[in-house]
Amino acid sequence: MGSGNWIVDNLNSALQTWNDKLAEIWTLISTTPEEFKGGGIWNVIVSINGALQAIGYGLLVLFFAVGVVRTCGSFAEARRPETALKLFIRFILSKAAVGYGLELMLALFSIVQGMVGTILSQAGLTDADGVTLPTEIVEKIEEVGFWESIPLWAVTLLGGLVIIVLSFVMILTVYARLFKLYMYTAIAPIPLSTFAGETTSHVGKNFLRSYAGVCLEGAIIALACVIFSIMAASPPAVDADVSAVTAVWSYIGELVFNLLVLVGAVKMSDRIVKEIMGL
């Protein structure tokens, strides 16, 4: 329900948008791709993965043949027992990677989801703490007259716009990670088929490293949300001796800085994973 003051309502509306997006992120990082949107998207992705397996098997044979030609100088060398055994094992493992790649990727994702659950449980949080407008700020705003409130309109319009933009930038980043998980899963048979050739196996290795990095982004985002929730428990201090415009400007400035810290951490989650894990 509105407070009856346009300036207060505008700030509360912007903060509510932020809190809604933060709560949505909290839900997304603990949701599996199979559960997202009722599993409809996941069913389509699994169907695409299954259809591409046939292409993956064809490419597997091609990459295997190319690998044999490039690594074996002659047919006689390929017939040597140790070489033939090595090629046979590589072919079998590559076929298993294409056929059971989906299960492998789900197992890796489950491990990371376990890390996310551990982070949230150890932090003692079951939901993200939202940001609320301090009572001192509301009282100062309600005390000003019409002419004195004009500068406050400009300050709250600008501050509210920045808060809303930051909230959408943050939620788009989290949705982008989820979409990347779907895309990696859908096309997995193609890059995994490159394991059949010794000269092309680096493509499959890079694919698995990149997928692991996308999964680990969830743990970094969870850590960032935990840190922000602790910060949100101690809102910016309000100086009772300054004017309403100064108090609101100071509060919004410090609040936007805190929000930028979280948005920056979420946006850079992929870079943080690469720096920590080298993925």
Side-chain angles (χ1 to χ4, degrees):
M1 182 180 294
S3 65
N5 187 291
W6 183 88
I7 298 173
V8 174
D9 290 344
N10 182 62
L11 282 175
N12 282 330
S13 176
L15 294 179
Q16 185 60 45
T17 301
W18 170 270
N19 293 335
D20 290 343
K21 300 306 177 187
L22 188 61
E24 188 174 356
I25 288 176
W26 204 262
T27 301
L28 286 174
I29 59 177
S30 58
T31 301
T32 63
E34 301 99 307
E35 300 170 343
F36 181 68
K37 298 297 182 181
I41 300 175
W42 178 252
N43 293 333
V44 174
I45 295 300
V46 172
S47 299
I48 295 173
N49 179 280
L52 291 180
Q53 278 188 7
I55 300 176
Y57 285 132
L59 291 175
L60 183 147
V61 176
L62 176 62
F63 290 134
F64 179 75
V66 172
V68 171
V69 171
R70 291 190 176 182
T71 55
C72 297
S74 64
F75 180 71
E77 183 180 351
R79 293 180 59 187
R80 293 170 58 187
E82 61 273 17
T83 303
L85 179 61
K86 178 181 177 181
L87 293 174
F88 176 75
I89 293 175
R90 174 179 287 276
F91 183 83
I92 294 299
L93 292 178
S94 301
K95 185 177 183 299
V98 175
Y100 299 97
L102 181 60
E103 289 76 7
L104 173 64
M105 296 172 71
L106 286 176
L108 181 58
F109 182 81
S110 297
I111 293 172
V112 176
Q113 283 299 99
M115 294 172 55
V116 173
T118 301
I119 291 170
L120 299 181
S121 62
Q122 289 299 313
L125 299 173
T126 57
D127 198 358
D129 290 335
V131 181
T132 57
L133 197 62
T135 305
E136 296 88 341
I137 290 291
V138 175
E139 293 175 350
K140 278 184 170 294
I141 293 174
E142 292 178 344
E143 290 174 357
V144 301
F146 174 77
W147 296 109
E148 295 174 332
S149 67
I150 293 177
L152 285 177
W153 293 353
V155 171
T156 53
L157 278 173
L158 179 60
L161 178 61
V162 172
I163 292 171
I164 292 174
V165 170
L166 289 177
S167 66
F168 278 98
V169 169
M170 181 176 62
I171 193 65
L172 283 173
T173 303
V174 179
Y175 269 105
R177 170 186 174 265
L178 193 58
F179 274 53
K180 284 190 288 184
L181 289 173
Y182 284 130
M183 293 175 185
Y184 273 82
T185 304
I187 66 169
I190 306 303
L192 290 178
S193 66
T194 61
F195 279 116
E198 187 173 347
T199 56
T200 58
S201 60
H202 66 279
V203 176
K205 294 176 183 177
N206 290 337
F207 172 79
L208 290 179
R209 282 199 294 264
S210 298
Y211 178 76
V214 174
C215 292
L216 284 171
E217 287 177 24
I220 301 301
I221 293 172
L223 280 172
C225 290
V226 167
I227 295 171
F228 178 81
S229 295
I230 298 173
M231 291 175 59
S234 301
V238 179
D239 190 350
D241 298 328
V242 299
S243 64
V245 175
T246 303
V248 172
W249 181 257
S250 177
Y251 171 77
I252 291 178
E254 188 172 350
L255 176 62
V256 167
F257 175 79
N258 292 338
L259 303 188
L260 276 171
V261 172
L262 176 58
V263 174
V266 172
K267 285 283 292 180
M268 294 190 301
S269 58
D270 56 341
R271 180 182 297 181
I272 295 173
V273 170
K274 290 178 182 178
E275 291 178 351
I276 294 176
M277 306 295 292
L279 298 174

